[in-house]
Amino acid sequence: MIVVFGSLNVDLLIPVDRLPNHGETVIGPGYSFAAGGKGANQALAAARAGAQVRMVGRVGTDDLSAIALNDLNLQDVDLSLVAKDEKPTGLAAICVEKGGENIIVVAAGANSNARADQVPEHLLTPETMVLLQMEVPLEENWTLVRRAKARGSRVMLNVAPAAAVPTDIVRMLDWLIVNETEAMLVADSLGRHRDNPRAAAAAVAEAAQTTVIVTLGGEGASGFSGHKIYDVAALLITPVDTVGAGDAFVGAFAAAIDSGGDISRGLAYGSVAGALACLIPGAQPSLPMKAAIDRRLKDLPPIKVH
């Protein structure tokens, strides 16, 4: 089982011809709402990829909370540990240009009150994977990591949005997932500055003795575990919207690992899921089902291990 401790938001999506410059107003033709938040996105991505998932977090008592929880409910994600809060449901304003690139501003709302003690002790077992991101109070993340490791749970952290991670926490992780920017930041925080993301991820893996996955956009992803390096390509696609691609990768990777797959299986699942998520606008609407991922695995070049 995967226990996701993280954020639940509603995304306000605004399509634009191009992203605004600093101080500039750009007019979009309309807008739409969709469920989002990195925690909820990754929980849904993992569930759609075949995992049993329990979501832990907070939403408000407002009307937006129903939107935030709808897709998770439809996918049978266990929401019994999602609490109602006096603060409003988190909201992300997302501008998406025609090429699929985006800018995002997040209002944390109820997510700022998420607490590690919402996760009961009986869920923290060696059979449980705890999946975390960086959109809830970070001290609550670190408290949960320490509790989970003390009870033998497997722990996966996605350092998104980018922020510093304490050295002792990095060393406790079973898996650390970062993008190019996040890889450089974590390496710097460990005193292992490198000039490129892959080298930074390798340095973190060596320093922390943990498995590090770095996503590289259109170049795929690389994994560093022990003395081995795993390189996976990206599917050749024409992106419509990259919102949610990173969360699709993380959720599908987690689902593959939780089902007993090795790092190669996880990277393949993550790479295909991340690419497929770029073909549909929005975060949660774009997250692919297991059958769709399985169909496209054959289109992925063999993973290189060296």
Side-chain angles (χ1 to χ4, degrees):
M1 180 181 65
I2 300 175
V3 173
V4 180
F5 177 65
S7 57
L8 300 107
N9 290 334
V10 171
D11 292 344
L12 170 60
L13 300 164
I14 306 173
V16 293
D17 288 336
R18 61 177 179 82
L19 299 178
N21 295 314
H22 181 72
E24 181 185 18
T25 298
V26 172
I27 305 297
Y31 63 89
S32 61
F33 289 107
K38 287 192 171 297
N41 292 348
Q42 292 179 16
L44 184 62
R48 287 185 176 171
Q52 178 187 356
V53 180
R54 181 167 288 187
M55 180 75 215
V56 184
R58 298 182 95 87
V59 294
T61 58
D62 48 50
D63 292 342
L64 290 180
S65 65
I67 299 175
L69 299 174
N70 183 63
D71 288 347
L72 294 168
N73 265 319
L74 292 176
Q75 200 60 45
D76 294 325
V77 173
D78 188 325
L79 301 177
S80 60
L81 297 176
V82 175
K84 290 295 184 78
D85 197 84
E86 61 185 16
K87 290 188 176 182
T89 301
L91 181 70
I94 307 174
C95 292
V96 184
E97 68 177 9
K98 288 183 175 179
E101 293 302 315
N102 61 78
I103 56 172
I104 304 173
V105 178
V106 177
N111 295 309
S112 63
N113 283 338
R115 295 292 178 263
D117 61 13
Q118 290 178 240
V119 182
E121 291 290 302
H122 71 84
L123 287 184
L124 300 177
T125 73
E127 287 72 44
T128 301
M129 175 190 291
V130 178
L131 174 58
L132 311 97
Q133 315 77 35
M134 308 284 277
E135 285 187 335
V136 296
L138 297 185
E139 283 305 318
E140 299 299 319
N141 265 356
W142 312 150
T143 297
L144 182 55
V145 170
R146 294 184 181 105
R147 283 179 56 210
K149 291 308 296 180
R151 296 184 61 84
S153 298
R154 301 160 293 155
V155 180
M156 181 180 296
L157 173 66
N158 176 215
V159 187
V165 182
T167 300
D168 68 312
I169 295 297
V170 178
R171 294 182 186 277
M172 291 183 191
L173 302 174
D174 296 282
W175 300 275
L176 176 72
I177 303 181
V178 290
N179 66 15
E180 294 162 276
T181 301
E182 295 151 6
M184 304 288 279
L185 186 150
V186 176
D188 286 349
S189 71
L190 296 179
R192 299 293 185 103
H193 176 76
R194 297 293 187 271
D195 293 331
N196 67 77
R198 288 185 83 257
V204 172
E206 180 183 19
Q209 294 297 294
T210 189
T211 297
V212 179
I213 308 297
V214 57
T215 58
L216 303 166
E219 296 181 13
S222 293
F224 301 87
S225 185
H227 298 292
K228 291 185 177 180
I229 302 172
Y230 302 79
D231 294 322
V232 62
L235 287 181
L236 295 177
I237 61 163
T238 301
V240 173
D241 176 3
T242 59
V243 173
D247 294 331
F249 181 101
V250 175
F253 179 89
I257 297 295
D258 188 60
S259 69
D262 59 11
I263 186 172
S264 292
R265 181 71 170 176
L267 285 170
Y269 248 64
S271 184
V272 171
L276 294 179
C278 295
L279 300 178
I280 298 173
Q284 293 190 15
S286 71
L287 300 174
M289 296 290 192
K290 185 178 186 298
I293 299 171
D294 287 336
R295 279 196 301 271
R296 295 301 302 273
L297 285 173
K298 66 181 184 336
D299 300 326
L300 203 64
I303 291 175
K304 298 178 180 178
V305 182
H306 48 99

